[in-house]
Every structure is written in C-alpha cells, then in structure tokens.
Amino acid sequence: MSDLINVILLGIIEGITEFLPISSTGHLLIAQHWLGARSDTFNIVIQAGAILAVTLIYWKRLWMLATGWREPDNRDYLLKLVLAFLITAILGLIVAKLGFTLPDRVTPIAIALIVGGFWIFAAEWWSAKRPDSERITWTVVIAVGLAQIVAAIFPGVSRSAATIFAAMLAGTNNRAAATEFAFLVGIPTMYAASGYEIFKQLRSGGVQEDWSAVAVGFVVATITAFIAVKWLLGYIRTHTFNAFAVYRIVFGGLLLLLVPGN
C-alpha cells in the first residue's frame, strides 16, 4: 500500500510539474530520494501520461493541422513542428548512443533550477522590450529543438521552460504562441522517448518493470497534467512567468542549503 501511495504522489508531481516551467524530471528525482528510486522507464512513461493530457487539450488544434495541411499556414506550421522534433530526435539518439544517464544527485539539479530561474527573468525582460509577435520563425524552430536536448541532458532545466523561453528569446515573444509551439513539439518528442525506452528494454531481453505501478503513475499524471495545463494557459494570458522564476531560485537555493553533499 505504501508503494502505491508513493507511485500516486510521483504521478501527481509529474502531472503538476511537466508543463509548468519548474522541471518535472528535477522534481521527480528529488522526490525519489524520499519516496524510493524509480527507473528511467517509469519516469519517461509517466511523462507520456502528461503529454496525453496536452494531446487531449490541443486535439482541435492538432486535428485542424492534420486535416488542413493543404492550407499554406497550416503546412508551414506542421513543417516547423516536424523540424523541431527531428532536431531533438537526431541529437537525442546521439546522446543515447554516447551512454548518457541522468544524474541522481541533488546539487546539479538545484543549480539547474536556479540558473533556469534567471533564464526566465532574462526572457521576460528581453521580450518586454520588443513588439508583441506570435510568429514562429525557423530560428525559433531550431532554438526549440536544441532546447529540448539541453533539458534532457540537465535535469532541473525543465523541457517546457527551455523551449518556451528559447522561443521567446528567439523572436516569438507572445507567451501564448511560444507556449503552444513548445507544448505541441513536446507531444511527438515525449511519445517517441517513451517508445524508444520500451524498445530498448525489449531488445535487451525483456521489460524489467512493474507495469502496474507505471500504469497508475501514467493515469495520475494524465489527470493532474490536464488540470495544471488548463490552469497555466489561463494564467499566462494576464501574467508573466516571473513567479515561476522566483520559485525555481528559492527552491534551488533551499535544496543546496538543506541537502548538502548530494
């Protein structure tokens, strides 16, 4: 029973933090210091649950892009989503081939949280100096694709934070437009990451995983992410992301102070 509670708590943490710019992977790795360590497979698959929530929220937009691809604007947007995904996928495979694994120490996560907080302040400051723009340029596309890899390599950076604020710094300084593109790119990225992780385990001789725990975490993450994303999309209409920057810096600082040597 205690393990089930731990899995539910991890699913809730994932669902809340995956799309808020505060790092789901960082929070999960930190939480697992107290709730018990989980495999990379568990972490990646429950992230896919959060991605399912975004798929459900954006299903009309996705359907419009899929069925209206003959329209120049839709086709252009689709091509940009594809390129951002391909940049991430190709570089991600290279990183995987090099044998990269996520660090399980708190200190680098805390530092990434703090640095990411100042990154948010910089993006908001820079965006406020320029006219509002919803345009997704090819520069933005490349920046978002690269940002996803940076977030994958350094837990605590946050995929949503890295992509949203890379887009804002690269030219799409309208928060809603930058957030939508970042979230839509995340859909194929996280589904592909989940599929790749499962494929690796099957190829190595079998899936060594408690799939009932993964399933519970997946469902809980989906429900909580749906609520969190709905709230975030309403919040950014009238607020900046600076409150999340403050949270990251304070939380990262507390981790450095309270968990020394980790």
Side-chain angles (χ1 to χ4, degrees):
M1 180 60 71
S2 61
D3 186 64
L4 176 61
I5 293 172
N6 290 346
V7 168
I8 291 172
L9 288 174
L10 290 172
I12 291 172
I13 292 169
E14 164 59 29
I16 292 173
T17 60
E18 178 62 39
F19 292 101
L20 302 187
I22 55 176
S23 176
S24 62
T25 303
H27 279 75
L28 283 173
L29 289 174
I30 291 166
Q32 287 172 15
H33 275 264
W34 290 276
L35 299 178
R38 299 285 169 174
S39 68
D40 286 348
T41 300
F42 177 89
N43 292 336
I44 290 173
V45 173
I46 68 169
Q47 281 178 331
I51 295 295
L52 175 59
V54 170
T55 307
L56 296 173
I57 288 170
Y58 280 108
W59 75 269
K60 289 184 180 178
R61 175 69 163 142
L62 292 168
W63 180 255
M64 181 185 71
L65 289 170
T67 59
W69 62 270
R70 291 183 179 85
E71 298 178 16
D73 288 346
N74 286 341
R75 186 164 59 249
D76 178 71
Y77 199 91
L78 275 172
L79 288 173
K80 288 171 177 174
L81 288 173
V82 169
L83 177 59
F85 168 72
L86 288 176
I87 291 171
T88 302
I90 292 170
L91 293 179
L93 287 173
I94 293 172
V95 169
K97 290 294 183 182
L98 294 175
F100 173 80
T101 56
L102 297 177
D104 58 1
R105 296 174 60 245
V106 171
T107 299
I109 295 171
I111 292 172
L113 283 166
I114 293 169
V115 172
F118 286 106
W119 170 265
I120 293 173
F121 279 135
E124 285 285 3
W125 175 81
W126 179 248
S127 294
K129 294 168 64 70
R130 296 176 298 165
D132 185 74
S133 174
E134 298 182 359
R135 187 164 173 254
I136 304 295
T137 66
W138 291 105
T139 300
V140 169
V141 170
I142 294 170
V144 168
L146 294 175
Q148 290 201 119
I149 289 298
V150 172
I153 294 175
F154 300 104
V157 170
S158 168
R159 193 201 64 80
S160 61
T163 52
I164 291 169
F165 302 113
M168 290 175 66
L169 286 168
T172 308
N173 59 325
N174 179 279
R175 293 184 195 90
T179 300
E180 179 183 79
F181 187 78
F183 285 2
L184 291 178
V185 170
I187 292 174
T189 301
M190 290 311 305
Y191 282 148
S194 299
Y196 179 72
E197 186 64 34
I198 294 170
F199 170 75
K200 281 198 307 180
Q201 294 221 19
L202 289 171
R203 190 177 60 176
S204 65
V207 179
Q208 306 299 321
E209 189 63 56
D210 180 358
W211 287 108
S212 61
V214 171
V216 171
F218 181 93
V219 172
V220 173
T222 301
I223 294 170
T224 52
F226 189 92
I227 296 169
V229 171
K230 279 288 191 180
W231 172 81
L232 180 66
L233 294 177
Y235 178 84
I236 61 174
R237 292 175 186 167
T238 55
H239 298 78
T240 70
F241 284 101
N242 286 337
F244 297 105
V246 172
Y247 170 82
R248 291 178 65 110
I249 293 169
V250 171
F251 184 42
L254 288 173
L255 287 174
L256 291 175
L257 290 172
L258 300 177
V259 195
N262 288 305

